[in-house]
Amino acid sequence: MLNKIMTALRGKAHETGQAVVDSQALRILDQEIRDAEQHLKASKTELARLMGQRQINSDKAATLEKKIDELEQSAAAALEKGEEQLALEVAERIVALSEALDAEQHIVAEFDTSIESLRSAIRNTENQLRQLKQQVSVVKATESAQRAQSAVAARHSGQNSAMGSAMESLERIRERQALDSAQMKAAEQLSAEESGSELETRLKAAGIGASDRKADDVLARIKARKSAS
């Protein structure tokens, strides 16, 4: 049981860590790009150092080649004058310088290999960084668009909620007004019953009791008076 609990805790810690990484993904990516750019800068610095050192050894080799050419001319001149021993000494010097030249040329060749390898790595890294930055730009644009869409959706949801609440409030007002209207009509009816006006209205409607004078009745009465006179 304890092992299961520890496993669950490790799983929870992993999920929490992953959630933090996910929430900071773009920030982490930006930092990783900056780190890669720093490494690229360091590589270019190292390339410049190698190229400088290669140039030094190349200059040494060129100097040795020049010196060997001069000595070979000197040895030839000594032989022409019959200075065999002198020519031999010059030849020995040429051998020593040639060995030094071979060493310098070997070093220069190794520098050339390292420089070309580093140059290739720098080119590849620059291409990858350029492509990565382009992709990050697209990702950031998509992220911004999605945040905007999320905000619009949230506002739309809020508006729908507000409209629903407003409609509910309007319906409650209408119900209250209908109730108030019914109560006022009931009060008027009770008042009419108490005063007797409601009873007179009902008798009048039944044709009982006093009725309203009509124009025809008045005209008939005037005609009757005129005929009597």
Side-chain angles (χ1 to χ4, degrees), residues 76-163:
L79 288 174
E80 288 178 359
K81 292 183 178 182
E83 299 287 344
E84 186 75 22
Q85 183 61 36
L86 181 59
L88 180 59
E89 292 177 2
V90 173
E92 291 175 350
R93 178 61 177 162
I94 290 174
V95 170
L97 292 179
S98 295
E99 291 176 354
L101 175 61
D102 289 342
E104 292 296 337
Q105 288 176 336
H106 180 71
I107 292 173
V108 169
E110 289 182 342
F111 274 126
D112 286 340
T113 300
S114 298
I115 288 171
E116 183 55 34
S117 176
L118 188 53
R119 275 179 171 169
S120 177
I122 289 173
R123 284 194 299 268
N124 291 335
T125 301
E126 287 177 334
N127 290 335
Q128 291 175 354
L129 271 176
R130 182 170 58 255
Q131 294 175 3
L132 182 59
K133 287 180 179 180
Q134 291 173 349
Q135 293 172 1
V136 169
S137 296
V138 173
V139 169
K140 286 184 177 180
T142 302
E143 184 78 6
S144 298
Q146 289 179 346
R147 283 200 300 267
Q149 290 175 348
S150 177
V152 170
R155 286 197 297 271
H156 181 67
S157 176
Q159 288 173 353
N160 286 342
S161 177
M163 287 297 295

Side-chain angles (χ1 to χ4, degrees), residues 21-111:
V21 170
D22 291 341
S23 66
Q24 301 295 322
L26 284 176
R27 184 174 298 174
I28 292 172
L29 184 55
D30 285 340
Q31 183 58 50
E32 288 174 341
I33 289 176
R34 286 192 292 270
D35 291 342
E37 288 176 334
Q38 288 298 319
H39 291 312
L40 180 60
K41 183 179 179 181
S43 296
K44 288 182 177 180
T45 300
E46 179 63 15
L47 176 60
R49 188 191 70 79
L50 289 177
M51 292 176 67
Q53 189 62 49
R54 187 257 184 208
Q55 188 60 47
I56 292 173
N57 289 94
S58 179
D59 291 341
K60 287 182 179 179
T63 300
L64 288 171
E65 286 179 339
K66 183 179 179 181
K67 185 64 176 176
I68 290 171
D69 288 340
E70 292 175 352
L71 289 175
E72 286 179 351
Q73 293 175 10
S74 298
L79 288 174
E80 288 178 359
K81 292 183 178 182
E83 299 287 344
E84 186 75 22
Q85 183 61 36
L86 181 59
L88 180 59
E89 292 177 2
V90 173
E92 291 175 350
R93 178 61 177 162
I94 290 174
V95 170
L97 292 179
S98 295
E99 291 176 354
L101 175 61
D102 289 342
E104 292 296 337
Q105 288 176 336
H106 180 71
I107 292 173
V108 169
E110 289 182 342
F111 274 126

